[in-house]
Amino acid sequence: MGEDISDHKLTFVEKVKRTLIGTPRSVTEPSIFHKISLIPILAWIGLGADGLSSASYGPEETFRALGQHTYLVIFLALATVFTVIVISYTYSRIIEHFPQGGGYIVATHTINKGAGVISGCALLVDYMFTITVSLVSCGDSIFSFFPLSFQKYKLIFVGFLIIVLVVFNLRGVKESVKMFVPIFFIFVVTHAVLIGYGIVSHASQVRPLTENLTAGFTGGFSTLGCVGMMGIFLRAFSMGGTYTGIEAVSNAMHIMREPKIKTGKRTMIYMATSLAVTAGGLLICYLLFNIKPTEGKTLNAILSEKVFGEWPLGNVVALVTILSEGAILVVAAQSGFASGPAVMANMAIDRWLPRRFAALSERLTMQDGVLLMGVAAFAILIYTHGSITSLVIMYSINVFVTFSLSQFGMARFFMKNKEKGKNGKKHIVIHLIGFMVCVTILVVTLYEKFEEGGWVTIVITSFVIGLCYLIRRHYNKVSQVMGKLADMLSDIPAVTPFNAKPVDLRNMTAILLVSGFNGFGLHTLLSIVRSFPNVYANFIFVAVAEIDSGTFKGIAEIEALKASVKKDLEKYVKITRQHGFPADFRMDVGTDVVDTVTELAETVVREFPRSTVFTGKLVFRHENPFQKILHNETAFSIQRRLQWNGVATVILPIRVSM
């Protein structure tokens, strides 16, 4: 598997696909995990850019929300830094104790499955918004330097960026991240200079500014009162969406270089430090330079012009700074494509989403998840008409749902296991503080944003949660039916002696495509015996050890999967021989069941020339498109491939009464 096919055997469409996405990878290659995993610096770029890039719009939205009450900026900057540090620290604990995934896994294991699906769906919607918000903000930053007449082309530009990122991520996360390394470091350097020089150059104004802030605070307190000022502060604090990328590392641990926990925690340190300094520093600079909103320009663009205005080539430096903001926002959207499909895969493994979202492509990427994230980002872009204000209103709600559930779940986890850890009490306190901070922001955000458009996020998330429950209910019913079928068929007593004879290549052979030892395979076996009496003398069971996102975590996991598949096949062989038929099995390893099974079946047919391939398919009394999506018509795909290659293939129905 995974070997390249010479170009002359590929169709035109396949050649284009190879050019855009790349050649297939082999899951059996010993160094494959090393090749596709990320070291801390690359993980910081690919995942940390989500949080860091929010400095391109978060501080601006916060500052705008203050209106005339800019004397609160210092408190906002301190609160922002504090919140980033607390949430980042708690997520380092999550990485340490739940390296298999972030919010969805944590809520599922520490609270219950219901909390898990709420957290997972909130994350999925959040990542969809992450992609759109980042790319729209990129368009705003870049188009800030163009005449207003060019604004009509912004949506087209953002749509093009979505397509580009989809293609990059179908190639692989590491390949995507590597392309953005120069952009990321240009952003870091230019913004370090922007903030550092901006604060240092205005150090002499700190004293008079402090006096003005004190006077403004006193005046605001006398006119608004404590409650009024707190309301303005909390509204501005919740508006920015500055913290939305902090959880990305914990949700993308599958792409971290070993040792994964150490890599993830180091990435969190890089992310927290850079985000706290950038977000807090920009807020202070807005205040120092008395930045005022201007139509068609971002506050960062105005700030850059003021900071670098007197420099030689200052306009060029300002342009590079703002262009780097636009570019890093593209990198930030990358985290949505990296982490979103990972959450989908974890939920698909637990049967909250169609199983296909846990599958890996020939490039070992979560292809269906990447495509769905791209389509969703397009839909959100069209719905909001590319308005960054509308997007930010809808955007920063869900992340605090996940934050709150994760913090509460981790506090429960340490309470139950405090006797096992040296610092259990400290961790409980930290997570409770994180929980209170996140819940406060969530409540204020919902209050402030619900009528402005936040209700859309609630409706979308509720719809996704409801859909997940329908999917899981369907899968559970099918599992129950298959379980009863397996119990019934495996208890059929043998009426003939055990057949220990080897299979005879000259005899008629039934090749059964199976997936695990279950009622599905046993029913197919029984149907062949009943429908074709005395026709087939041999039975060969064929199965593929499908490497999906749940097993593609290391060599040990793959070997365990292969052993499990082999054990299931041996059960089929044993029960068939107990009923008097010679039997054997063949297996292979792959990520695409259809491709791998087709190749393996053709190999077995060449070994047993007088043979027919059989597979089963679930048949429902009232079939609908929903059922087809959940069971993805694998049998028909395999049949089409084999029959085109001249292999007799029969699909036997397995009726499911639901």
Side-chain angles (χ1 to χ4, degrees), residues 117 350-353 465-481 620 626-627 630-631 656 658:
V117 74
D350 292 339
R351 297 185 296 188
W352 291 108
L353 290 175
I465 292 171
L467 185 61
C468 286
Y469 271 100
L470 287 176
I471 292 170
R472 186 176 174 87
R473 180 184 177 188
H474 175 84
Y475 278 140
N476 285 344
K477 284 186 176 181
V478 172
S479 279
Q480 290 173 3
V481 172
F620 301 91
F626 181 74
Q627 293 163 344
L630 296 186
H631 298 284
V656 179
M658 292 175 59

Side-chain angles (χ1 to χ4, degrees), residues 4 245 408 473 544 621 635:
D4 193 15
F408 178 72
R473 180 184 177 188
V544 171
R621 181 180 295 275

Side-chain angles (χ1 to χ4, degrees), residues 54 91 197 217 233 294 338 382 544 579 582:
S54 65
Y91 266 87
Y197 182 77
F217 184 85
F233 175 84
T294 302
I382 294 170
V544 171
H579 286 78

Side-chain angles (χ1 to χ4, degrees), residues 181-237:
V181 170
I183 294 171
F184 184 85
F185 283 108
I186 289 173
F187 175 90
V188 170
V189 171
T190 55
H191 283 69
V193 173
L194 175 69
I195 295 169
Y197 182 77
I199 293 175
V200 171
S201 65
H202 279 61
S204 60
Q205 300 180 18
V206 171
R207 187 170 180 177
L209 183 61
T210 303
E211 294 174 355
N212 292 335
L213 292 179
T214 302
F217 184 85
T218 303
F221 187 82
S222 63
T223 56
L224 297 173
C226 181
V227 175
M229 290 181 64
M230 184 58 68
I232 293 172
F233 175 84
L234 290 176
R235 183 178 188 278
F237 184 55

Side-chain angles (χ1 to χ4, degrees), residues 273-291:
T273 304
S274 58
L275 177 56
V277 171
T278 306
L282 284 173
L283 283 171
I284 293 173
C285 284
Y286 295 159
L287 184 64
L288 289 173
F289 284 83
N290 193 28
I291 301 297

Side-chain angles (χ1 to χ4, degrees), residues 46-47 50 127-128 130-131 248 331-342 373:
L47 302 170
D50 181 10
Y127 284 128
M128 293 170 186
T130 292
I131 296 169
V331 188
Q334 166 64 32
S335 69
F337 283 109
S339 300
M373 297 302 289

